[in-house]
Amino acid sequence: MSQADYLVLRPKLAALAKVPETALPIQFNPAANLATPGNVLNIGVGTPPQGGGIWLENVAVYSGNLGWLGNIPPGATSRSAGASFFFSAPMQGPGTFMMSVYLNAPTANALAPITTLGGPDLYNPETSPVMNLPVQNGKVFVVKEVTLSTTRELGLYIGPVGPGWTVFSCDFMRVR
């Protein structure tokens, strides 16, 4: 995500987080943790997880290539029905977070089945119900309010999906 993308998203993000836009960070900062509002941690399919994790089920991982579209990052593509993609990031305590998933769906107007998790660990999570969210220009945006003071991990699960979904990475951002 670029700073320009973030500025365009700020009004929508404020509405989703139910806060005034002025309460959000003015810009985001790529960081190694989610301790401070504005910090963003990227977890990519083909990059070291920077303290987070990537779990893939029933997918094929491929390396990016140079084509007429430019440099395509490494990604994972679902091979058949029932595929899933899971990203996790370390975090410090409760707060509001935005997760941006970068993906390609096999059909126009696709809805991505998303579940978010946060808790002391991902085996004892505070889990959301499945949300079917629209894929918009290769991105899905999710806002999660984490309330447990013992929360140490934040996760985002995509699936199950059918064949042809390609997922590249997920940005985790502390909003407040």
Side-chain angles (χ1 to χ4, degrees):
M1 173 168 50
S2 70
Q3 294 289 352
D5 290 338
Y6 174 66
L7 290 176
V8 170
L9 280 174
R10 276 185 81 210
K12 183 176 181 179
L13 178 57
L16 289 170
K18 299 180 178 125
V19 297
E21 190 175 339
T22 55
L24 299 179
I26 294 172
Q27 63 183 16
F28 68 86
N29 304 302
N33 63 60
L34 297 173
T36 305
N39 280 8
V40 173
L41 179 63
N42 176 266
I43 308 294
V45 169
T47 59
Q50 303 173 0
I54 305 160
W55 292 267
L56 306 168
E57 183 176 321
N58 201 18
V59 301
V61 176
Y62 68 90
S63 296
N65 59 18
L66 291 171
W68 67 274
L69 292 175
N71 191 16
I72 299 171
T77 302
S78 57
R79 296 183 296 207
S80 61
S84 59
F85 309 84
F86 180 78
F87 295 94
S88 72
M91 54 174 283
Q92 294 75 28
T96 303
F97 299 86
M98 179 178 76
M99 292 158 281
S100 307
V101 183
Y102 301 90
L103 57 81
N104 288 329
T107 60
N109 303 316
L111 296 175
I114 304 283
T115 304
T116 60
L117 305 97
D121 58 62
L122 293 176
Y123 299 103
N124 299 293
E126 180 179 69
T127 306
S128 75
V130 175
M131 302 170 276
N132 290 303
L133 300 176
V135 177
Q136 303 170 3
N137 299 318
K139 299 177 198 80
V140 174
F141 300 103
V142 184
V143 174
K144 174 137 179 98
E145 182 74 28
V146 176
T147 60
L148 297 174
S149 62
T150 57
T151 298
R152 296 290 175 260
E153 291 187 82
L154 182 62
L156 182 135
Y157 178 82
I158 306 164
V161 296
W165 287 77
T166 301
V167 174
F168 301 101
S169 67
C170 182
D171 283 341
F172 291 82
M173 176 183 180
R174 181 179 279 272
V175 175
R176 60 183 180 105

